[in-house]
Amino acid sequence: MTPERLRAFCLEFNASVEEFPFGPETSVFKVLGKMFALTALDGQPLTVNLKCDPDEAIRLRGTNPAIVPGWHMNKRHWNTVTVSGVPDRLLRELVEDSYDLVVAGLPKAERLRLDRP
């Protein structure tokens, strides 16, 4: 997946926005103020930090060398994924799972507004 496609995919989710709180080189994708993806789109290799269920995070790290504990993140809840090391389909699932985990932590009224009960 290219950096442009990763950005476009992250922005497809309801109420998702791209912000740059850490400087112009780091894209932070948020839903209603909560981060679900963080990446340096010009990074070599391209990596993205994604939120993950702790048990699933351990399983993913054990089965794919391109998925490691989140760099500069809470390593229990975040993974760093090297984009070129995973199939596009898996990357899309991981991004969507990250978004869904963040949305699940929002108040019920906001979840319903996002069409994600």
Side-chain angles (χ1 to χ4, degrees):
M1 182 176 291
T2 67
E4 296 79 18
R5 288 178 55 206
L6 178 59
R7 170 186 275 135
F9 183 65
C10 287
L11 291 172
E12 285 179 11
F13 297 100
N14 291 341
S16 65
V17 296
E18 180 181 20
E19 296 181 355
F20 301 90
F22 306 117
E25 67 282 345
T26 305
S27 294
V28 177
F29 297 94
K30 296 181 175 183
V31 55
L32 300 180
K34 304 289 185 182
M35 178 172 53
F36 69 91
L38 178 138
T39 183
L41 289 169
D42 61 353
Q44 294 296 327
L46 177 60
T47 62
V48 60
N49 284 1
L50 299 168
K51 192 162 187 155
C52 192
D53 171 79
D55 293 330
E56 180 69 3
I58 291 169
R59 187 191 70 74
L60 287 165
R61 294 171 196 163
T63 60
N64 194 318
I67 301 174
V68 297
W71 188 69
H72 283 290
M73 305 296 278
N74 179 324
K75 292 169 182 16
R76 179 170 154 73
H77 296 278
W78 290 84
N79 282 334
T80 297
V81 180
T82 301
V83 172
S84 63
V86 297
D88 280 5
R89 181 175 176 210
L90 175 59
L91 182 62
R92 288 176 174 274
E93 289 173 7
L94 295 173
V95 172
E96 185 170 6
D97 287 349
S98 181
Y99 176 88
D100 286 342
L101 278 170
V102 171
V103 168
L106 296 172
K108 184 177 182 179
E110 290 179 348
R111 288 194 314 266
L112 291 173
R113 193 174 53 155
L114 292 171
D115 221 9
R116 299 266 185 175

